Amino acid sequence: MSAADRVGLRHGAGGRAMRRLIEEVFLGLGGPVEDGVGLAAMDDGAAIRVGDQWVVMTTDSHVVHPRFFPGGDIGRLSISGCVNDLAMMGATEPLGLTCAVIIEEGFPREELERIRDSMQQACRESGANIVTGDTKVMGKGEVDGIVLNTAGFAVTRRVVTDAGLRAGDKLIVTGAIGDHGMAVMTRRHGLDIEGDLRSDVAPINRLVRAALDAGGDDVVAMKDPTRGGVASVLHEFAEKGKVGVVVDEQSLPVHAEVRAAGEMLGIDPLVVANEGKAVIGVRAGSAEKVLAALRAHPLGREAAIIGAAVAERPGQVIVDTGFGRRLLAEIEGEPLPRIC
């Protein structure tokens, strides 16, 4: 069996390789969803119509190394990731979450309780509640420490997908990019970066609600730039909306610590994971209104309009550097595995 016939770490890293694996292996599992969003859409969750509302569901498994990193830990990550995926579909008030925990034999109980406390804190911040769960203990070496799976459900009267862009729409990012991936990366490799480099991991459902309340039906696309970073989100927006995307590089909010780490490691912050941010597509006439609502929220103070959808070059993402333009390629896989 050749390496091409085996699954590699790059297949779980959020880039093109992961998308291809899902399309080739798993997409056939999905059936049609009438007047809703199903597996074939490859969005942040599913939406099934019930009367005049949609039930939105999502699930995600969380593994990260190290489990505790500047600004967060795997527990906070597991709640934030689930709540944020619901919010990206327009469902910002979770009805309930589930949590399944797989623990390796010998795992420190003190560490397990710290993770639980962190999950409780993230639940309080988001208004979410864990309503059921499952616990399994595996033998030594059968799982690396701990794996958390969370699932969530909520209802909404309007589903927002990642396929709604049309030419002229503006693109907003809700804050500085690259913090989570760079914080994990520098901690894992013991890199000494000046400043306070911390993960942005947080539930942002209330921030997203502020954007939806301000923009209404003019909010037409949303996605959180986790694995694969902002670059992967923009590629998905462009491909699904059949538009081109032009990014103004000078307008990208990037903290100095992230920029320094990126230059040291040769990694573009656009491809680095975030765990407390969203990229939002808005009709041009409402962009400033949505931006103001985001900046009025504590988690959205650094929000910025970073680009626009255009009719030219559908499916492609172009970075305007201020001196010229370059194509932004979708990465094959995240530069750092086991990050969320």
Side-chain angles (χ1 to χ4, degrees), residues 168-190:
D169 292 341
K170 299 294 185 184
L171 291 157
I172 299 174
V173 66
T174 61
I177 64 173
D179 291 352
H180 175 72
M182 287 302 186
V184 172
M185 196 176 310
T186 54
R187 172 57 60 91
R188 185 185 296 180
H189 296 288

Side-chain angles (χ1 to χ4, degrees), residues 1 15 20 46 52 55-56 77 82 90 114 120 129 133 141 151 158 176 188 208 216 236 317 334:
M1 187 182 291
R20 198 161 50 234
D52 61 352
V55 176
V56 177
L77 194 61
C82 188
R114 284 176 62 194
Q120 281 182 331
N129 186 27
R158 177 174 175 256
R188 185 185 296 180
V208 171
E236 287 193 53
V317 180
E334 167 82 18

Side-chain angles (χ1 to χ4, degrees), residues 173 177 230 247-254 259 270 304-306:
V173 66
I177 64 173
V230 170
V247 180
D248 175 9
E249 191 171 50
Q250 304 298 318
S251 69
L252 288 170
V254 182
R259 199 175 295 284
L270 277 167
I305 296 174
I306 61 167

Side-chain angles (χ1 to χ4, degrees), residues 13-84:
R16 189 169 47 207
M18 180 173 164
R19 201 138 54 94
R20 198 161 50 234
L21 178 73
I22 294 170
E23 289 169 351
E24 293 173 356
V25 178
F26 296 112
L27 222 50
L29 291 172
V33 176
E34 191 175 345
D35 195 18
V37 179
L39 187 62
M42 293 182 66
D43 210 320
D44 287 298
I48 297 174
R49 189 178 186 108
V50 179
D52 61 352
Q53 299 187 99
W54 282 264
V55 176
V56 177
M57 295 166 285
T58 190
T59 185
D60 205 349
S61 296
H62 303 273
V63 289
V64 61
H65 174 73
R67 291 185 285 273
F68 296 86
F69 45 83
D73 57 70
I74 190 172
R76 183 170 179 81
L77 194 61
S78 68
I79 300 301
S80 301
C82 188
V83 168
N84 293 348

